[in-house]
Amino acid sequence: MATINDNYLKLKAGYLFPEIARRVNAFAEANPDAKIIRLGIGDVTEPLPEACRTAMIKAVEEMGDRNTFKGYGPEQGYAWLREKIATNDFQARGCEVDASEIFISDGSKCDTGNILDIFGDNNIIAVTDPVYPVYVDTNVMAGHTGEASEKGEFAGLIYLPITAENNFTASLPSEKVDLIYLCFPNNPTGAVATKEHLKAWVDYAKANNAIIFYDAAYEAFITEENIPHSIYEIEGARDCAIEFRSFSKTAGFTGTRCAFTVVPKTLTAKAADGSDVELWKLWNRRQSTKFNGVSYIVQKGAEAVYSEAGKAQVKALVSFYLENARIIREQLTSAGIAVYGGVNAPYVWVKTPNNLSSWDFFDKLLQNCNVVGTPGSGFGAAGEGYFRISAFNSRENVEEAMKRITEKFKV
């Protein structure tokens, strides 16, 4: 008899965004004339930068000529893209990252889950709360947790609350942990970390032989000059951190799919016999076995991000969404609603008005304003009483959504 991975049965509530889709679809079927504005899932709406499109069109044409046709590419990614990334995203900021330490993939969401393949089952794992659900759910699927409590917290994970009281930056664990998930600019709160804060984490990780999984998918939205874009701007991070990056929100690749992970060759972890093992070799082996690489066409589009035209177009795209975030932040603030984030990130973290629960506010927003957001409790117990609004939409929709919300929920 075939058996299943019973760990999946622990995910009783289902993934956050499918549940949102279920409720929205039910409302839309019951109210076919409602003009729903979706500011929930962080999906981009504006076209790919022209430089990327042009490069991809040229690559498609190359695929039509036997002399320039590309089949399987290197599992780690083409060298010309990895070199552009190393030069522009890291070395230009003083980070010691070599092109050989960069692995091109089809998404940082995939990588933050797949990275668990090279780590053991007995690690003590710390996550912030609220947190991007993928970090938690993939550990549940891998059997690294027990059952969920009534609050939705899984046994076996160390939860580090981030709230307005601690400026949405988690304190160091009071106990020893082995794997640490950090996301800055943060999804969902929009908070950022100073160099001093990251240095404290790096020092903790090195002192405890821990590994930091650093998700920097939103680094392009950082506007303040003193905020680090990469954990490798912190001395010692190469000895304790893996960084995940994405073209999804930077250049609108959510449907095109391209990202990358940096695994320094100096990074090691312990084998069962106590010996040190290079994580780069394990990740390279994992990717070579389970992944055939990102298409040549998509990688050529990603390379164009680093052209002069591409840099200007990406900057304009990021600025567009940040302006949306400013409108959301200022309009809600003027209505007397407490908001956070939205300065260095495309997300605005909202304190639900009138002491509404996160899901109650979701339902009221959908029913009364025909606007979709994301309940904070879906990101963790500490997210209860908060709500995430995404800046990824057209200017017209953002302005209309704010008009509807401020009219119905003015405090």
Side-chain angles (χ1 to χ4, degrees):
M1 180 188 298
T3 62
I4 65 165
N5 178 353
D6 281 357
N7 293 302
Y8 277 69
L9 301 181
K10 299 174 187 174
L11 301 168
K12 296 174 183 177
Y15 187 52
L16 171 62
F17 297 110
E19 172 60 18
I20 289 173
R22 186 191 68 77
R23 296 194 187 202
V24 173
N25 291 338
F27 177 81
E29 288 177 8
N31 302 273
D33 295 329
K35 295 180 180 178
I36 299 173
I37 298 176
R38 301 170 190 267
L39 300 176
I41 190 169
D43 194 4
V44 297
T45 58
E46 302 310 295
L48 285 175
E50 183 181 358
C52 300
R53 302 197 308 268
T54 300
M56 292 170 75
I57 290 168
K58 184 175 183 292
V60 169
E61 292 171 347
E62 290 179 33
M63 298 294 277
D65 185 328
R66 186 171 186 173
N67 294 317
T68 52
F69 173 81
K70 299 290 189 300
Y72 289 126
E75 289 93 347
Q76 194 178 341
Y78 286 99
W80 35 261
L81 175 55
R82 291 186 284 118
E83 288 164 1
K84 290 283 198 320
I85 292 169
T87 299
N88 289 275
D89 286 336
F90 297 101
Q91 294 166 11
R93 293 189 177 278
C95 302
E96 185 186 342
V97 172
D98 187 77
S100 66
E101 298 174 316
I102 295 168
F103 293 80
I104 308 300
S105 75
D106 58 355
S108 57
K109 175 181 179 180
C110 307
D111 286 352
T112 56
N114 291 335
I115 198 70
L116 295 174
D117 281 4
I118 68 171
F119 287 92
D121 294 334
N122 57 345
N123 289 300
I124 300 172
I125 300 161
V127 297
T128 59
D129 179 14
V131 67
Y132 184 40
V134 173
Y135 308 157
V136 171
D137 288 358
T138 51
N139 274 288
V140 175
M141 293 170 179
H144 297 166
T145 75
E147 298 290 339
S149 68
E150 290 183 1
K151 293 173 60 179
E153 295 180 343
F154 286 92
L157 295 182
I158 305 298
Y159 290 85
L160 307 173
I162 51 176
T163 64
E165 286 68 34
N166 61 15
N167 202 29
F168 300 104
T169 53
S171 300
L172 299 176
S174 57
E175 60 268 77
K176 183 183 184 301
V177 302
D178 304 304
L179 301 177
I180 303 159
Y181 288 83
L182 295 179
C183 175
F184 291 110
N186 185 255
N187 178 14
T189 69
V192 289
T194 63
K195 286 187 176 180
E196 292 74 19
H197 184 68
L198 289 185
K199 183 64 166 62
W201 277 107
V202 167
D203 290 346
Y204 172 91
K206 293 185 69 175
N208 290 277
N209 295 317
I211 300 294
I212 297 171
F213 296 153
Y214 192 75
D215 188 348
Y218 299 95
E219 62 81 27
F221 291 85
I222 294 173
T223 59
E224 296 173 288
E225 291 185 5
N226 61 331
I227 300 298
H229 289 243
S230 168
I231 197 167
Y232 300 122
E233 294 179 47
I234 309 303
E235 183 180 357
R238 282 181 56 85
D239 299 323
C240 65
I242 294 172
E243 183 162 309
F244 305 92
R245 292 277 192 104
S246 175
F247 292 97
S248 283
K249 311 303 165 54
T250 302
F253 274 51
T254 54
T256 306
R257 310 308 300 148
C258 197
F260 58 92
T261 292
V262 181
V263 183
K265 291 185 176 179
T266 53
L267 191 58
T268 64
K270 297 291 184 182
D273 63 6
S275 61
D276 290 323
V277 178
E278 295 177 21
L279 292 176
W280 184 95
K281 291 182 177 178
L282 298 185
W283 185 242
N284 187 57
R285 185 69 170 86
R286 189 267 174 207
Q287 292 298 82
S288 298
T289 301
K290 291 189 174 184
F291 186 56
N292 272 333
V294 176
S295 78
Y296 173 75
I297 297 165
V298 168
Q299 289 192 61
K300 291 304 287 187
E303 182 192 29
V305 166
Y306 300 102
S307 66
E308 289 307 310
K311 289 178 181 178
Q313 291 160 17
V314 166
K315 183 177 180 181
L317 192 61
V318 169
S319 295
F320 174 83
Y321 291 126
L322 281 174
E323 176 64 11
N324 280 352
R326 183 194 66 78
I327 292 169
I328 294 168
R329 192 177 68 249
E330 292 184 356
Q331 288 292 312
L332 294 181
T333 299
S334 68
I337 298 173
V339 298
Y340 308 90
V343 176
N344 297 287
Y347 298 121
V348 177
W349 191 237
V350 179
K351 187 73 180 74
T352 57
N354 305 319
N355 294 317
L356 290 169
S357 73
S358 296
W359 279 106
D360 283 346
F361 187 59
F362 173 91
D363 289 334
K364 286 185 179 296
L365 208 61
L366 177 61
Q367 294 160 10
N368 298 334
C369 305
N370 303 159
V371 173
V372 178
T374 309
S377 59
F379 296 101
E384 178 54 75
Y386 291 93
F387 197 81
R388 192 190 76 175
I389 295 182
S390 166
F392 293 116
N393 214 306
S394 68
R395 185 63 43 75
E396 179 183 4
N397 279 348
V398 166
E399 290 177 341
E400 174 61 23
M402 291 307 102
K403 179 175 180 291
R404 296 179 191 177
I405 294 172
T406 54
E407 286 177 353
K408 293 286 186 180
F409 287 96
K410 192 164 187 176
V411 178

